[in-house]
Amino acid sequence: QVQLVESGGGLVQAGGTLRLSCVAAGTIFSINTMGWYRQGPGKQRELVAAITSGGSTNYADSVKGRFTISRDNAKNTVYLQMNSLKPEDTAVYYCNADLVSGVDLGWGRYWGQGTQVTVSS
């Protein structure tokens, strides 16, 4: 019954801004790392940014200085602020969370369904 619900994707011109949100919905015991991955056409899924429960972050080199990941632990929500978007940022963005369900105490790595980000030239 845990689901990651993503929002905020869309179509934007190069140089524009989008803010992605992902809510881990359901009864959750704990969340360790949350992050964002993306997969462009014909490419493997790659890590964009990740953040631990303590706030430590990790970014792909290609987005450093442009993207910012943050989280609200009280809301079980992770955000990805994307500034100065480039056409090469075009991809399906997937939210990820490593968490323990509060219903059955089972651990799992959960993924959102993906949200499309398209950056035009």
Side-chain angles (χ1 to χ4, degrees):
Q1 54 285 110
V2 175
Q3 289 185 295
L4 304 186
V5 183
E6 301 154 324
S7 62
L11 176 64
V12 66
Q13 291 191 158
T17 297
L18 288 173
R19 187 177 189 243
L20 306 183
S21 299
C22 173
V23 179
T27 303
I28 297 169
F29 181 76
S30 63
I31 302 177
N32 187 14
T33 301
M34 303 186 79
W36 292 93
Y37 291 71
R38 68 186 180 188
Q39 187 167 21
K43 296 183 178 181
Q44 294 183 219
R45 187 175 299 186
E46 66 173 350
L47 175 69
V48 178
I51 184 168
T52 69
S53 60
S56 297
T57 58
N58 185 36
Y59 296 93
D61 287 342
S62 60
V63 307
K64 286 181 179 178
R66 299 187 298 121
F67 292 9
T68 302
I69 189 169
S70 61
R71 64 191 285 172
D72 185 334
N73 291 330
K75 296 180 179 179
N76 291 335
T77 301
V78 63
Y79 306 93
L80 186 67
Q81 178 69 39
M82 303 187 294
N83 299 328
S84 302
L85 283 161
K86 303 175 180 179
E88 50 262 45
D89 295 318
T90 296
V92 178
Y93 284 70
Y94 297 90
C95 176
N96 162 262
D98 295 325
L99 60 84
V100 176
S101 170
V103 176
D104 61 7
L105 298 182
W107 180 90
R109 194 175 204 198
Y110 291 81
W111 295 89
Q113 295 300 306
T115 184
Q116 178 70 47
V117 172
T118 302
V119 184
S120 63
S121 300

